Amino acid sequence: MKNLQKGPLIISGNAHKDLSKDIAKYIGQDLTKSEVFKFINDNTFVRILENVRERDVFIIQPTSFPVNDHIMELLIMIDAAKRASAGRITAVIPYFSYARTDKKDQPRVPITGKLIADLVTTAGADRVMLMDLHAGQVQGFFSATVDELTALPILARYFIEKKLDDIVVVSPDIGGTKRARDFANKLGAPLAIIEKRRIGNKDTVESLNIIGDVKGQSAVLFDDEINTGGTMLAGSVLLKENGVKDVYVAATHGVFPEDSIEKIVNSKEIKEVVVTNSLPINYKSEKLKILSISELLGEAIKRTNRGDSVGALFL
Ligand code: R5P
């Protein structure tokens, strides 16, 4: 007999303890005690230190750096919860790395997003909670039930409260047009699109043309994620060359490998960088604004546990 009505239990991996604690606080409880560490031989060990038998367990683990270690941790935590007779297991993965490796678009390449999704469900996840995937179709890689949340209302509220004049939302590439269109609708702003070209398999980006009117306006370059920042930097230069007053860059996920965050924040073309805490970001700057998704995730977890609508959060 499943004891889901006893309320959710929140277990954190090592990827983003602060986010897990904030989610648990929103729900009004402590994290379920667990230990997750590596033995000297590099093997990951997990032990859940409280009873989870028949309970509704949520494991919080964005796939932050080191990505492969955190994926392995997640799989082992799911396995531990399953073997501890959890009633239902939800893998909460606010940032799903490898989601961009989603098709065989060159000879002899893998579809790693699908492979990881298979591993998560094979490990024993009954449900998966994701956020702002690079492409929504990636939901279908999971055979478990998926809820894909979006931080779009959180990001939109931030810009609405800023009360910027003459705002235009800009998609940094043609593939992101629908996402940027939805964001522009929330802000009641027009949309422009940059034509971007990625050179080979490298992270080098070239911005070519702007479709739409941007001159004299405040532009919000809007994307699902900022990785190396190449896309946003190239887009910002092009926007400034085309007479944009101020460039804001905004995305749900700030991946920021190596020193990329410094490059973006120190760019003279960019006025502000706005991301969420779907990934841990240990960098402070007046030009960097990190918006919290903990209440959104906490509320989605509460609703999932009670069997209430999660979609209603976004109406
Ligand atoms: C890819 O198309 C994504 O939507 C982002 O544009 C991309 O991940 C950004 O990568 P980077 O910051 O390395 O240019």
Side-chain angles (χ1 to χ4, degrees):
M1 175 69 178
K2 293 187 179 179
N3 267 325
L4 306 187
Q5 69 278 13
K6 275 190 172 175
L9 293 178
I10 312 295
I11 303 182
S12 182
N14 285 320
H16 201 347
K17 282 248 166 80
D18 288 345
L19 177 65
S20 306
K21 281 182 199 154
D22 288 350
I23 292 171
K25 191 169 166 204
Y26 175 81
I27 296 171
Q29 62 191 55
D30 292 329
L31 291 174
T32 298
K33 291 187 184 55
S34 62
E35 51 186 13
V36 185
F37 65 88
K38 268 191 179 184
F39 288 121
I40 197 158
N41 64 359
D42 208 40
N43 287 193
T44 295
F45 179 75
V46 170
R47 185 167 173 224
I48 300 169
L49 300 169
E50 296 178 46
N51 178 25
V52 298
R53 198 170 280 270
E54 303 303 340
R55 297 290 302 270
D56 197 9
V57 170
F58 293 79
I59 299 174
I60 318 287
Q61 184 86 327
T63 52
S64 59
F65 298 115
V67 173
N68 294 344
D69 275 354
H70 285 153
I71 290 171
M72 200 63 206
E73 257 187 22
L74 172 65
L75 300 173
I76 297 172
M77 284 192 295
I78 295 170
D79 188 67
K82 188 175 74 176
R83 292 176 195 283
S85 306
R88 183 171 68 176
I89 302 168
T90 302
V92 181
I93 315 173
Y95 177 68
F96 182 57
S97 214
Y98 287 116
R100 281 166 64 192
T101 315
D102 60 355
K103 57 181 132 2
K104 193 161 181 271
D105 53 2
Q106 303 168 51
R108 300 173 297 284
V109 295
I111 303 180
T112 318
K114 166 73 172 137
L115 172 66
I116 307 296
D118 282 344
L119 291 170
V120 167
T121 39
T122 301
D126 301 293
R127 307 181 59 88
V128 183
M129 202 176 272
L130 305 164
M131 176 167 271
D132 286 329
L133 289 165
H134 176 60
Q137 305 87 294
V138 168
Q139 292 171 15
F141 285 180
F142 293 87
S143 51
T145 306
V146 171
D147 282 307
E148 185 189 351
L149 312 181
T150 177
L152 204 131
I154 296 173
L155 292 156
R157 195 181 322 128
Y158 177 75
F159 281 99
I160 289 167
E161 285 170 3
K162 263 182 126 52
K163 295 191 174 28
L164 298 173
D165 292 329
D166 299 325
I167 190 166
V168 57
V169 172
V170 184
S171 176
D173 56 33
I174 289 171
T177 306
K178 178 170 182 316
R179 183 184 304 116
R181 169 83 274 162
D182 292 345
F183 190 62
N185 283 345
K186 287 229 178 285
L187 297 186
L191 175 72
I193 301 161
I194 291 177
E195 196 193 338
K196 164 180 111 173
R197 190 163 55 190
R198 205 172 268 286
I199 302 162
N201 283 334
K202 301 277 184 305
D203 283 315
T204 318
V205 165
E206 198 183 8
S207 285
L208 304 167
N209 287 305
I210 302 175
I211 305 163
D213 192 12
V214 294
K215 196 167 180 196
Q217 315 213 42
S218 293
V220 182
L221 257 176
F222 186 70
D223 213 346
D224 56 327
E225 67 172 49
I226 306 174
N227 184 30
T228 63
T231 301
M232 293 301 203
L233 288 167
S236 308
V237 170
L238 187 70
L239 288 171
K240 277 291 189 183
E241 284 169 0
N242 281 268
V244 161
K245 194 167 52 173
D246 292 316
V247 179
Y248 296 82
V249 302
T252 299
H253 310 292
V255 185
F256 303 135
E258 297 174 347
D259 63 347
S260 52
I261 180 77
E262 278 179 52
K263 279 194 207 142
I264 302 164
V265 163
N266 293 330
S267 151
K268 63 180 186 345
E269 279 85 16
I270 295 175
K271 178 141 187 182
E272 195 174 46
V273 180
V274 184
V275 291
T276 78
N277 63 344
S278 65
L279 288 160
I281 300 171
N282 300 313
Y283 189 87
K284 282 199 170 38
S285 160
E286 287 200 342
K287 279 175 71 178
L288 175 66
K289 183 77 194 167
I290 302 170
L291 307 177
S292 177
I293 55 166
S294 59
E295 289 193 11
L296 173 61
L297 285 170
E299 188 56 34
I301 288 171
K302 276 166 86 169
R303 285 170 182 246
T304 302
N305 172 256
R306 291 195 305 252
D308 289 344
S309 167
V310 169
L313 275 173
F314 303 102
L315 294 179

